Amino acid sequence: KHCLRSIKYHAIALYSKMKSSIPTLLATVLGFSAQTAAFAPIPTQSTSTTLLRAAELIPEPEGGEELLKMSESSLPGSRMKNMGPAEDQEEGVFSFWLTAKADGAKIKKLRTQTEKEASKNANFPGFRKGQIPPWAQPQMTGFAVQEAIIKTCEESLEAYGLENLSGSAGEVTVNEDIKDLCKGYKSGGIAFTAKYNGKFDSAVHAVVESPAEDVVVDVEVVAEAE
């Protein structure tokens, strides 16, 4: 139901001459688009310190209304807050704050897929065809982590009964610097915080807020029928 656009990896040929920076080279190999799509993260620069992969998260904003998850099994450990009506948006659009963890198994799977796609047409000077240089590995990890964060944000919509907005109105901002989150990363999940605008899914919340009416049984009538 929630059709969200995310970063796509389409391997294309890489010219043998190294004329670009490392990020640009990897972007070319992976078909990474620098343009922001709906629900593609917009990392913000932070002054957080990083020790291994435990990047310091941006402090939780004050105020807001804590949301309940539609199911306890959805996005374990996550939290969502409604921070109030979104600025410069139509009525019914709210600003949401999310804290969650991108699953480690998901990051590992995406990392493997990313390297597999990149190796199909990789042709870096000084390395055999299909080989990804060691200095390019961190950038690939960054792509995998970023994609995992996107997917986690997508999952948060269903977990909390929300609807995304189309176009630029539905962009999500990752509060931490993704480079900090990836620094020294080896394995496991990565915690992050994000914010985005959205709407409450009226169909889901109507069911939650309007439980079935109690059924009154006339005991005497039942007894007579027996």
Side-chain angles (χ1 to χ4, degrees):
K1 183 176 181 179
H2 301 294
C3 297
L4 303 174
R5 296 170 57 199
S6 62
I7 298 172
K8 303 296 182 182
Y9 300 109
H10 298 294
I12 60 176
L14 178 68
Y15 292 103
S16 59
K17 291 186 178 180
M18 190 180 299
K19 295 182 178 180
S20 307
S21 63
I22 291 175
T24 302
L25 285 171
L26 265 295
T28 303
V29 173
L30 299 174
F32 177 78
S33 174
Q35 296 180 347
T36 303
F39 254 75
I42 307 174
T44 56
Q45 294 292 332
S46 69
T47 56
S48 63
T49 57
T50 304
L51 178 61
L52 294 180
R53 64 181 178 84
E56 181 180 352
L57 300 183
I58 300 300
E60 176 180 341
E62 296 183 359
E65 179 184 357
E66 192 90 17
L67 299 186
L68 297 177
K69 287 189 287 186
M70 300 294 100
S71 170
E72 287 300 322
S73 61
S74 302
L75 283 185
S78 68
R79 291 175 52 227
M80 178 82 80
K81 289 169 61 172
N82 178 5
M83 302 307 296
E87 296 182 3
D88 302 322
Q89 295 292 333
E90 62 182 273
E91 185 177 356
V93 176
F94 299 90
S95 176
F96 296 99
W97 173 86
L98 169 71
T99 179
K101 178 179 287 188
D103 181 64
K106 184 177 299 181
I107 295 174
K108 182 179 180 180
K109 181 179 180 180
L110 289 166
R111 178 66 172 75
T112 300
Q113 292 175 345
T114 300
E115 185 166 4
K116 183 178 180 181
E117 289 297 312
S119 63
K120 289 181 180 178
N121 294 290
N123 190 12
F124 290 86
F127 294 86
R128 68 176 183 272
K129 187 174 182 179
Q131 183 179 8
I132 306 297
W135 45 258
Q137 296 294 337
Q139 185 71 19
M140 295 182 64
T141 298
F143 287 145
V145 169
Q146 179 167 293
E147 180 72 1
I149 289 176
I150 292 171
K151 292 184 179 297
T152 303
C153 290
E154 291 176 353
E155 293 169 5
S156 72
L157 293 170
E158 183 175 354
Y160 291 93
L162 305 177
E163 291 183 356
N164 70 296
L165 305 180
S166 60
S168 60
E171 292 173 346
V172 58
T173 298
V174 178
N175 296 320
E176 293 72 36
D177 191 321
I178 292 181
K179 290 183 179 179
D180 282 350
L181 295 178
C182 296
K183 188 175 182 180
Y185 176 78
K186 297 298 182 182
S187 63
I190 290 185
F192 68 95
T193 66
K195 58 184 178 181
Y196 60 81
N197 295 337
K199 296 181 178 181
F200 286 101
D201 188 329
S202 56
V204 173
H205 286 275
V207 173
V208 174
E209 297 172 2
S210 303
E213 296 181 358
D214 295 333
V215 178
V216 180
V217 179
D218 191 324
V219 179
E220 294 183 359
V221 173
V222 174
E224 290 178 1
E226 295 177 349

